[in-house]
Amino acid sequence: MASSGEEPRSGSPGRAGTGTEPSLTADAAQLDTAEDFEVLEEEEEEEDEDLSELPPLEDVGRLPAPLREDAQPSEQGGGEAAEDPQEWFDVLGSGLLKKKTLVPGQGVDTRPRKGQDVTICLKATLEDGSVVEENPALTFTLGDCDVLQALDLCVQLLEMGETALIMSDAKYCYGAQGRSPDIPPNAALTLEVELLAARDGPDLELLSGKEKIELANRKRERGNFFYQQADYVLAINSYDIALKVIGSSSKVDFSPDEEAELLDVKVKCLNNLAASQLKLDHYEAALKSCNLVLEHQPGNIKALFRKGKVLAQQGEYREAIPILKAALKLEPSNKTIHAELSKLVKKHADQKNVETEMYRKMLGNPSAAGAPGKCKDKLPWSIPWKWLFGATAIALGGVALSVVIAARN
């Protein structure tokens, strides 16, 4: 993975989603980050700004802007070629992501493979020609969605040493939210990319405790970025990669502190994974993620809260209420748990009333509130249970008396 010297500045495409970007701070309270307790404010925050209403990246339908002539290197002889639309390669067949070779590379056999760590020289510009990113050595894992989707999709098509222009719609860059302060919402980008190096990724079994923690945290933070972009599928992908890193076998001994920190990162990933799964209504998967957290930390308030929400979404109010009560006992002053619990208690009461009414109708005993006089006229057989019982007793008594008299005779 990239060393600290190779990582781009905060807010660059290579580090989008690390939690340090200005555009990501508004929703950071919804996820497990490096802070102590930030997630149960999620429901209160969503009253003002519900990320579930934002479209995922693939739903934005903005067409790419035409390539600016001043965005092409004048010294590489690509001026005339850049004006020929037939030399653009439509990467996805939709016209929203196109690639054009400016300087040929060393052959198709030198293209990088998914899972390799690649290093590129990057320059990104807006439609008006203003440069919003320059990085001479951006390193990332190809195929892990560590960077802009435009880069992840196109760099695997580059040959070693090749320089190319990439025209990308906003949906494969920073989407509807943009990146404050320099990239506006729904902004198409032109990326000039040169492939400098490609090497196999690190052997997870040989990573030290510190290296494994850093790698897992980078994947988790990328998942946070996608969550805040309302792209929950890619968020789940990043959290899964982080969990794979944490769960990989190791030939290196870790200190107790490193083991504890790895467990902490794992719990955060599972909690955030459950949040993403809830957004997609994947209730069984979210329930499994919550249970995995509670196996490690039975008193984890976030996992209890989300498990209660999952069960409530499934209509299991009787099971959800005691779980939320347990969470409230651990955090008595939390208004979000109070509100959710009150809502569930009311729903459970309504559910019981509906069930009671249904049983009454099944047994032919309608509710007292439903005009009893009329019901008696309509269902005369459903009322006189006492009369029926008395008549049955008299009949049985008569039969018994007849048996006794017959026996005496």
Side-chain angles (χ1 to χ4, degrees):
M1 297 302 298
S3 65
S4 58
E6 294 172 325
E7 304 223 1
R9 66 174 175 83
S10 173
S12 70
R15 284 294 299 253
T18 62
T20 60
E21 301 179 30
S23 61
L24 304 187
T25 57
D27 208 35
Q30 299 191 30
L31 298 167
D32 262 322
T33 61
E35 285 140 25
D36 292 329
F37 187 82
E38 330 76 312
V39 71
L40 291 184
E41 289 77 27
E42 175 180 0
E43 298 304 308
E44 295 176 339
E45 290 181 5
E46 287 183 352
E47 292 177 3
D48 298 324
E49 184 178 2
D50 187 351
L51 282 183
S52 64
E53 299 301 322
L54 293 175
L57 297 182
E58 57 269 23
D59 289 340
V60 182
R62 181 186 172 99
L63 293 175
L67 183 67
R68 293 177 51 88
E69 293 182 0
D70 57 2
Q72 302 187 35
S74 58
E75 299 178 0
Q76 294 176 344
E80 295 182 3
E83 296 175 359
D84 185 355
Q86 294 183 354
E87 293 195 12
W88 284 96
F89 175 65
D90 191 344
V91 177
L92 300 176
S94 62
L96 301 181
L97 184 64
K98 297 189 291 185
K99 168 189 170 290
K100 182 186 193 64
T101 298
L102 298 178
V103 178
Q106 301 171 13
V108 175
D109 293 341
T110 64
R111 288 179 176 175
R113 303 183 308 274
K114 288 185 177 180
Q116 286 189 314
D117 286 348
V118 297
T119 302
I120 63 172
C121 177
L122 173 68
K123 179 181 179 181
T125 58
L126 295 173
E127 294 176 85
D128 62 4
S130 58
V131 178
V132 292
E133 186 65 39
E134 283 189 285
N135 195 314
L138 170 62
T139 299
F140 60 93
T141 303
L142 189 60
D144 276 10
C145 300
D146 289 344
V147 290
L148 301 179
Q149 293 180 71
L151 290 174
D152 223 17
L153 292 168
C154 292
V155 169
Q156 57 189 297
L157 303 175
L158 298 182
E159 301 170 4
M160 190 61 60
E162 178 181 349
T163 299
L165 279 181
I166 298 169
M167 285 178 53
S168 176
D169 181 77
K171 68 191 298 184
Y172 302 114
C173 296
Y174 288 95
Q177 294 191 22
R179 187 188 72 186
S180 178
D182 52 353
I183 300 178
N186 296 316
L189 291 180
T190 298
L191 310 172
E192 183 181 328
V193 181
E194 179 185 1
L195 179 59
L196 302 176
R199 60 182 181 275
D200 291 338
D203 187 341
L204 297 180
E205 291 186 338
L206 300 179
L207 292 179
S208 66
K210 182 179 179 181
E211 290 171 332
K212 182 171 281 194
I213 291 166
E214 290 177 349
L215 177 58
N217 267 323
R218 283 200 296 270
K219 304 300 183 182
R220 176 181 63 84
E221 289 164 355
R222 188 62 180 168
N224 292 359
F225 167 78
F226 285 125
Y227 184 95
Q228 292 157 21
Q229 293 284 341
D231 197 328
Y232 306 115
V233 173
L234 289 181
I236 289 172
N237 176 71
S238 293
Y239 296 137
D240 280 338
I241 294 174
L243 290 169
K244 180 181 177 181
V245 171
I246 295 169
S248 61
S249 59
S250 180
K251 297 178 180 178
V252 180
D253 293 331
F254 299 156
S255 69
D257 288 343
E258 289 171 336
E259 293 281 5
E261 192 168 352
L262 277 172
L263 178 59
D264 182 61
V265 177
K266 179 179 180 179
V267 166
K268 290 177 179 179
C269 288
L270 287 169
N271 263 328
N272 293 350
L273 182 61
S276 303
Q277 291 161 337
L278 260 174
K279 289 290 188 180
L280 297 174
D281 296 337
H282 295 172
Y283 298 131
E284 292 301 326
L287 190 62
K288 180 179 178 181
S289 299
C290 292
N291 285 334
L292 287 172
V293 173
L294 295 172
E295 285 180 11
H296 296 293
Q297 298 178 359
N300 188 289
I301 300 175
K302 300 169 189 177
L304 289 170
F305 178 74
R306 287 205 177 99
K307 182 175 181 179
K309 288 195 66 175
V310 170
L311 292 171
Q313 291 289 342
Q314 294 177 315
E316 302 291 343
Y317 303 129
R318 185 175 300 176
E319 295 181 37
I321 288 172
I323 292 174
L324 288 179
K325 285 183 177 179
L328 189 60
K329 186 176 180 180
L330 293 169
E331 188 79 17
S333 62
N334 191 284
K335 295 180 180 179
T336 303
I337 305 178
H338 269 291
E340 188 72 19
L341 185 56
S342 298
K343 183 169 64 176
L344 289 191
V345 169
K346 184 179 184 303
K347 287 184 177 180
H348 189 215
D350 293 342
Q351 184 186 59
K352 289 195 294 184
N353 290 337
V354 170
E355 291 175 352
T356 301
E357 186 64 23
M358 179 181 67
Y359 293 146
R360 283 176 178 171
K361 290 181 179 179
M362 290 173 61
L363 296 172
N365 185 18
S367 171
K374 294 182 180 180
C375 289
K376 288 180 181 178
D377 294 337
K378 291 181 180 180
L379 300 172
W381 53 270
S382 66
I383 300 302
W385 290 102
K386 294 181 179 179
W387 292 97
L388 180 60
F389 180 82
T392 303
I394 292 172
L396 290 174
V399 171
L401 182 60
S402 299
V403 171
V404 171
I405 294 172
R408 288 180 178 177
N409 292 334

